[in-house]
C-alpha cells in the first residue's frame, strides 16, 4: 500500500510553517505612507542595532575573505579544502580572487577615510559599503527564515494551482509566482537569492532561473515610492506604479521568447536533476494534488535542515558575494559618476527617445543606461528636468530595467546560472529598448 504523506502532522507543519514564511516575506505591514514586510523590519532592526560598527564589520569580513582566499590559492591547506563551508567561502578563481582583494582595499579606504575621493565619496564607495551593510542584514535575517517559505510546501501548493496560468504565459513553473511576490513586497536581491537556492535544489532549470532572476526580481513597492518622491511625481504614484506593473508583465512575456534567455540550456543542475512535480495526474484533482505535494515537502522539513541550509547561504553570501559587490559595484559607480562614458554611450538613446516625442530627450538619455550600474542613479540624474512626463517615463524605465550591478547583477553573475556580464547587459538593453515606446504610450494616456 502506497504511503500517504497527507496526515495531521504534515498538514499542520505545512500550514503553520508556511504561514510563518508567508507572514515574514509577503504580508504587507503599514509603515508611514507606504508599507513594508516583517522581514524588512527585522533587517532594519538589525542594522540599527549594529549601528556605525556595521561598516567596520563589513571591512573586517572583506579583509578576512581576501586573506583566507589568498592562503587557499597559494597554499591549498587541508583545513580549507576539506571543509565544505570554508571551501564555499574561500576557494575561488583568479578573477574573483583579485576582485576580493580589491574589494577589501576599497572597504578599508571608505571605512577609514583614506585614499582618493573617487573611491571614498558618497556617490561611489560609501554608497556601496552602505548597500553591503543592508545586504549583510538581509542575508543574516533572510537565510534562516527562507526555508519556511521554500521548504514547507507553500511553493508546491501555489506551483500546482498557478501552473496553468504561469507556465504558458512566462514559460516557468507556477512556484515562480512566490519569487515575484517576495520581490514586490520585499527586496529584489532577496528574490534573486531565493531563485538561486531553488535552482541549486533542482526546482528550476538554468533557463528558468536566469529568466526569473532577470524578469521577476522587480524592486519593492516602497522603493518605487521613494523614486517617485525623489523625482517629484509622488502625486502620480498610482499611475506610476500601474505603469510599472503593465510594462513589467509585457517585458516578461516577450523576454522569455527571445535570445539570450531562449538560448540558455533548459536543463537542471546536473548534480541534483529535476525535483519539480507540478503536473497533475489524471486521476487526481488539482487542489488535492497541491495538498499532497505540499505535505510530502513538509514531511522532510526539520529545524536541523533550516540551520544547515541557512548557515551555508550565510557563509557563501558574506565571504564570497559581498566582496564582489564592493569591488565591481564601486568600479561601476566610479565610471558612472566620474567619467563621460555613459554620456557618450547614451547619444543613440537620446535619438531613440526623441523619435517617440520625449521632451528633453538628450538630457534624459544618460539615465536610460546608467541604471545598469545602480537603480537609484537614474532618479538622481533626472531631478533637474522640467518635464513631468519625461520624469515619469525615465522613473518607470529605471524601475523595470531590473539588472542593476550593485543590487542584483553581481549576485546573478556569482550564481551558477549561465548568465555572464555581457548577457546581462544584452538583456538590460532589450528591456530598455522594448519598454520605452510602451512607457511613452502609457504616459501619454495617464498624464495630460
Amino acid at each position: 500500500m502506497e504511503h500517504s504523506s497527507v496526515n495531521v502532522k504534515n498538514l499542520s507543519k505545512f500550514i503553520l510553517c508556511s504561514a510563518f514564511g508567508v507572514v515574514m516575506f509577503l504580508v504587507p505591514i503599514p509603515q508611514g505612507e507606504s508599507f513594508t514586510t516583517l522581514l524588512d523590519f527585522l533587517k532594519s532592526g538589525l542594522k540599527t542595532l549594529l549601528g556605525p560598527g556595521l561598516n567596520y564589520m563589513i571591512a573586517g569580513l572583506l579583509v578576512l575573505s581576501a586573506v583566507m582566499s589568498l592562503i587557499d590559492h597559494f597554499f591549498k591547506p587541508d583545513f580549507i579544502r576539506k571543509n565544505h563551508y570554508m571551501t564555499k567561502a574561500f576557494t575561488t578563481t583568479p578573477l574573483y580572487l583579485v576582485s576580493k582583494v580589491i574589494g577589501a582595499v576599497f572597504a578599508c579606504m571608505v571605512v577609514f577615510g583614506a585614499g582618493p575621493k573617487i573611491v571614498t565619496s558618497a556617490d561611489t564607495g560609501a554608497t556601496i559599503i552602505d548597500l553591503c551593510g543592508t545586504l549583510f542584514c538581509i542575508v543574516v535575517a533572510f537565510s534562516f527564515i527562507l526555508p519556511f517559505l521554500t521548504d514547507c510546501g507553500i511553493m508546491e501548493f501555489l506551483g500546482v494551482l498557478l501552473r496553468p496560468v504561469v507556465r504558458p504565459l512566462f514559460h516557468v513553473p507556477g512556484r515562480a509566482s512566490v519569487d515575484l511576490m517576495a520581490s514586490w513586497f520585499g527586496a529584489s536581491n532577496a528574490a534573486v537569492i531565493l531563485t538561486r537556492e531553488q535552482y541549486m535544489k533542482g526546482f528550476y532549470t538554468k533557463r528558468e532561473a536566469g529568466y526569473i532572476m532577470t524578469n521577476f526580481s522587480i524592486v519593492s513597492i516602497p522603493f518605487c515610492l521613494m523614486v517617485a518622491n525623489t523625482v517629484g511625481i509622488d502625486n502620480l504614484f498610482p499611475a506610476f506604479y500601474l505603469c510599472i506593473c503593465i510594462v513589467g508583465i509585457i517585458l516578461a512575456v516577450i523576454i522569455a521568447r527571445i535570445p539570450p534567455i531562449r538560448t540558455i540550456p533548459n536543463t537542471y543542475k546536473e548534480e541534483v536533476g529535476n525535483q519539480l512535480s507540478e503536473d497533475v495526474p489524471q486521476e487526481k484533482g488539482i487542489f488535492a494534488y497541491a495538498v499532497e505535494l505540499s505535505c510530502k515537502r513538509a514531511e522532510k522539513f526539520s529545524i536541523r535542515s533550516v540551520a544547515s541550509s541557512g548557515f551555508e547561504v550565510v557563509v557563501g553570501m558574506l565571504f564570497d558575494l559581498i566582496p564582489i559587490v564592493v569591488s565591481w559595484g564601486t568600479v561601476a559607480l566610479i565610471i558612472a559618476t566620474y567619467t563621460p562614458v555613459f554620456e557618450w554611450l547614451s547619444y543613440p538613446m537620446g535619438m531613440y527617445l526623441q523619435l517617440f516625442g520625449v521632451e528633453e530627450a538628450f538630457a534624459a538619455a544618460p539615465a536610460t543606461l546608467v541604471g545598469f550600474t545602480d537603480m537609484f542613479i537614474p532618479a538622481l540624474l533626472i531631478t533637474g528636468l522640467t518635464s513631468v512626463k519625461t520624469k515619469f517615463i525615465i522613473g518607470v524605465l529605471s524601475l523595470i530595467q531590473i539588472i542593476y550591478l550593485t543590487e542584483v547583477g553581481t549576485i546573478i553573475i556569482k550564481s551558477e546560472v549561465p548568465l555572464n556580464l555581457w548577457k546581462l547587459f544584452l538583456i538590460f538593453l532589450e528591456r530598455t529598448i522594448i519598454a520605452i515606446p510602451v512607457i511613452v504610450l502609457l504616459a501619454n494616456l495617464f498624464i495630460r
Side-chain angles (χ1 to χ4, degrees):
M1 185 175 179
E2 185 180 351
H3 166 71
S4 175
S5 298
V6 183
N7 54 48
V8 174
K9 179 183 176 182
N10 292 337
L11 198 58
S12 299
K13 194 189 292 187
F14 156 53
I15 294 172
L16 296 177
C17 293
S18 294
F20 174 73
V22 168
V23 167
M24 292 300 296
F25 275 89
L26 305 180
V27 175
I29 305 295
Q31 185 183 47
E33 296 180 357
S34 184
F35 58 84
T36 184
T37 61
L38 283 175
L39 183 67
D40 194 60
F41 270 125
L42 184 59
K43 174 209 75 179
S44 301
L46 183 59
K47 192 170 184 180
T48 302
L49 178 66
L50 295 174
L54 181 57
N55 286 351
Y56 292 94
M57 288 180 62
I58 296 298
L61 283 171
L62 266 64
V63 170
L64 177 62
S65 179
V67 170
M68 293 297 287
S69 293
L70 285 168
I71 291 172
D72 173 78
H73 181 76
F74 289 108
F75 303 107
K76 301 176 176 58
D78 287 345
F79 76 90
I80 293 179
R81 291 298 173 101
K82 292 185 177 180
N83 183 288
H84 172 71
Y85 296 110
M86 296 190 75
T87 299
K88 187 177 181 67
F90 305 124
T91 300
T92 188
T93 64
L95 172 63
Y96 288 118
L97 176 63
V98 172
S99 299
K100 284 189 174 191
V101 173
I102 292 173
V105 172
F106 283 170
C108 290
M109 285 182 177
V110 171
V111 169
F112 296 106
K117 184 181 177 182
I118 62 170
V119 174
T120 61
S121 77
D123 296 323
T124 55
T127 294
I128 293 296
I129 293 299
D130 184 66
L131 170 66
C132 285
T134 302
L135 185 58
F136 172 89
C137 295
I138 287 176
V139 168
V140 172
F142 169 99
S143 300
F144 297 98
I145 299 175
L146 176 63
F148 287 90
L149 190 67
T150 61
D151 297 348
C152 295
I154 188 64
M155 295 193 80
E156 282 73 14
F157 184 76
L158 291 177
V160 173
L161 296 183
L162 296 178
R163 185 182 187 278
V165 175
V166 175
R167 175 63 77 178
L169 195 59
F170 302 120
H171 293 182
V172 294
R175 66 194 296 118
S177 56
V178 179
D179 294 45
L180 182 58
M181 289 186 286
S183 180
W184 273 6
F185 296 128
S188 55
N189 44 22
V192 170
I193 296 169
L194 188 156
T195 303
R196 174 188 176 275
E197 293 306 304
Q198 289 293 286
Y199 164 70
M200 299 292 283
K201 293 177 180 177
F203 293 105
Y204 295 143
T205 65
K206 294 179 175 69
R207 183 186 301 172
E208 290 166 352
Y211 169 69
I212 293 166
M213 286 176 171
T214 56
N215 288 273
F216 280 15
S217 301
I218 300 170
V219 298
S220 64
I221 297 175
F223 186 84
C224 293
L225 180 59
M226 186 173 73
V227 168
N229 281 319
T230 301
V231 301
I233 55 171
D234 47 301
N235 60 310
L236 298 171
F237 186 72
F240 184 75
Y241 193 71
L242 177 61
C243 189
I244 290 170
C245 294
I246 293 171
V247 177
I249 292 171
I250 291 172
L251 287 173
V253 172
I254 294 173
I255 298 297
R257 293 161 170 82
I258 61 176
I261 290 295
R262 196 185 67 181
T263 60
I264 297 175
N266 201 29
T267 55
Y268 291 89
K269 182 175 170 63
E270 289 76 11
E271 293 85 348
V272 292
N274 180 10
Q275 303 298 316
L276 186 69
S277 179
E278 292 183 352
D279 294 321
V280 182
Q282 290 184 346
E283 70 276 10
K284 295 182 180 180
I286 185 169
F287 185 80
Y289 187 62
V291 172
E292 180 184 324
L293 283 188
S294 301
C295 288
K296 280 185 179 179
R297 185 68 171 163
E299 189 174 27
K300 301 174 184 176
F301 181 79
S302 69
I303 297 302
R304 179 178 292 182
S305 66
V306 170
S308 176
S309 62
F311 186 68
E312 185 166 344
V313 172
V314 167
V315 168
M317 292 295 159
L318 297 189
F319 292 105
D320 195 35
L321 174 66
I322 288 181
I324 307 306
V325 173
V326 172
S327 57
W328 294 13
T330 303
V331 170
L333 290 187
I334 288 172
I335 294 171
T337 306
Y338 292 102
T339 75
V341 169
F342 282 98
E343 290 183 21
W344 298 338
L345 295 176
S346 67
Y347 188 81
M349 295 305 299
M351 298 176 65
Y352 189 58
L353 290 171
Q354 196 173 54
L355 178 66
F356 294 102
V358 177
E359 299 173 9
E360 300 177 275
F362 287 96
T368 64
L369 295 182
V370 76
F372 185 63
T373 62
D374 183 78
M375 62 185 175
F376 196 57
I377 294 179
L380 298 177
L381 290 182
I382 62 172
T383 52
L385 298 182
T386 58
S387 171
V388 171
K389 190 176 291 186
T390 302
K391 288 183 177 181
F392 183 97
I393 292 167
I394 301 302
V396 171
L397 179 67
S398 71
L399 295 170
I400 55 84
Q401 288 173 318
I402 288 183
I403 304 162
Y404 321 103
L405 283 182
T406 58
E407 189 78 12
V408 300
T410 45
I411 302 177
I412 296 172
I413 292 171
K414 279 296 290 177
S415 73
E416 295 186 25
V417 176
L419 281 173
N420 55 28
L421 184 64
W422 164 245
K423 286 183 178 178
L424 288 181
F425 185 64
L426 186 56
I427 296 169
F428 173 87
L429 284 180
E430 288 176 347
R431 295 184 67 84
T432 302
I433 292 169
I434 295 169
I436 285 175
V438 181
I439 299 172
V440 171
L441 174 63
L442 293 172
N444 289 332
L445 291 175
F446 294 150
I447 304 174
R448 298 296 181 181

